[in-house]
């Protein structure tokens, strides 16, 4: 009963987040303002998710893996995506189309480099493999040989921030 109530709560928070993001996208023409508003609602949804999860103790490693592999990325992906959009758009130089194109191509190269640098994990995640889930998606299971992003050390003990970056780049917002 408690588990289904928790899943229902998480589903409502996620549905509300998705609805708010769609509304912002439809109503806001300015890309930077759209990103700002989307970041705000994404952070609030993430705060609600965190508050919900603080009341819940994972019953098994499998439950924890599912949460960090499937559930939490749905909340963090829009935040990561809109933070990146905000960063790129707010730093876009004024000037000719040639200057702006050069800037955007450079940003695209940075994204490609990130994916190339983390290709093994990208493949693992995209092929829905599970043989390393216990290393990638359990808290406190750090393995230097599998670290794919320095943000791993800065996160609030959330496994593999890179999975979220991949999901954010592959989501439709």
């Amino acid at each position: 009963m408690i588990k289904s109530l928790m899943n229902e709560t998480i589903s409502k928070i996620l549905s509300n987040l998705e609805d708010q993001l769609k509304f912002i996208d439809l109503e806001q023409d300015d890309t930077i303002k759209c990103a700002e508003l989307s970041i705000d609602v994404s952070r609030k949804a993430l705060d609600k998710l965190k508050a919900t999860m603080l009341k819940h103790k994972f019953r098994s490693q499998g439950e924890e893996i599912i949460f960090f592999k499937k559930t939490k990325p749905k909340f963090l992906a829009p935040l990561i995506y809109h933070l990146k959009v905000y960063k790129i758009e707010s730093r876009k130089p004024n000037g000719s189309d040639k200057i702006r194109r050069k800037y955007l191509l450079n940003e695209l190269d940075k994204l490609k480099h990130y994916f190339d640098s983390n290709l093994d994990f990208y493949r693992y995640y995209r092929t829905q493999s599970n043989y390393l889930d216990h290393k990638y998606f359990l808290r406190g299971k750090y393995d230097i040989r599998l670290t794919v992003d320095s943000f791993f050390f800065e996160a609030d003990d959330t496994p593999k921030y890179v999975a979220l970056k991949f999901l954010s780049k592959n989501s439709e917002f």
Side-chain angles (χ1 to χ4, degrees):
M1 176 69 176
I2 292 174
K3 185 177 177 182
S4 65
L5 183 60
M6 184 197 58
N7 286 338
E8 186 178 316
T9 302
I10 291 171
S11 292
K12 284 181 182 178
I13 297 168
L14 181 59
S15 178
N16 188 36
L17 171 62
E18 290 168 345
D19 290 346
Q20 287 180 319
L21 290 173
K22 285 177 189 172
F23 180 78
I24 291 168
D25 189 48
L26 290 172
E27 294 295 317
Q28 190 54 249
D29 291 331
D30 181 89
T31 305
I32 294 173
K33 187 66 176 172
C34 180
E36 287 175 349
L37 294 170
S38 297
I39 290 165
D40 185 52
V41 299
S42 295
R43 285 182 188 238
K44 287 177 182 173
L46 196 55
D47 288 344
K48 288 178 186 176
L49 175 67
K50 187 173 184 176
T52 300
M53 294 312 297
L54 286 173
K55 298 174 191 171
H56 174 75
K57 181 173 172 42
F58 294 112
R59 296 181 196 176
S60 67
Q61 287 185 342
E63 190 177 81
E64 184 175 349
I65 287 168
I66 289 170
F67 176 76
F68 286 111
K69 187 175 183 178
K70 304 283 185 185
T71 305
K72 194 167 184 181
K74 292 176 184 175
F75 288 85
L76 277 174
L79 177 61
I80 294 166
Y81 172 81
H82 291 289
L83 282 166
K84 192 64 162 172
V85 168
Y86 179 81
K87 179 182 169 189
I88 290 170
E89 288 294 322
S90 63
R91 293 180 178 177
K92 189 165 47 176
N94 291 325
S96 68
D97 287 344
K98 184 178 179 180
I99 290 171
R100 294 170 86 153
R101 179 176 169 79
K102 182 178 177 182
Y103 167 78
L104 292 172
L105 288 173
N106 184 49
E107 290 299 317
L108 191 58
D109 282 344
K110 288 178 190 176
L111 290 173
K112 184 181 180 328
H113 176 72
Y114 182 84
F115 280 90
D116 290 347
S117 297
N118 296 290
L119 190 57
D120 291 337
F121 183 76
Y122 181 65
R123 274 194 207 120
Y124 177 85
Y125 193 80
R126 293 286 294 181
T127 60
Q128 299 178 4
S129 296
N130 61 13
Y131 62 94
L132 292 175
D133 282 358
H134 64 286
K135 299 265 186 186
Y136 282 126
F137 300 105
L138 289 176
R139 294 169 296 172
K141 300 295 182 187
Y142 171 73
D143 185 338
I144 188 69
R145 295 165 294 184
L146 297 175
T147 301
V148 291
D149 195 288
S150 62
F151 186 84
F152 175 74
F153 298 106
E154 300 166 21
D156 58 356
D157 204 21
T158 45
K160 302 307 180 230
Y161 170 80
V162 72
L164 306 170
K165 286 189 83 162
F166 289 136
L167 183 60
S168 72
K169 304 294 187 275
N170 291 296
S171 296
E172 294 181 26
F173 293 104

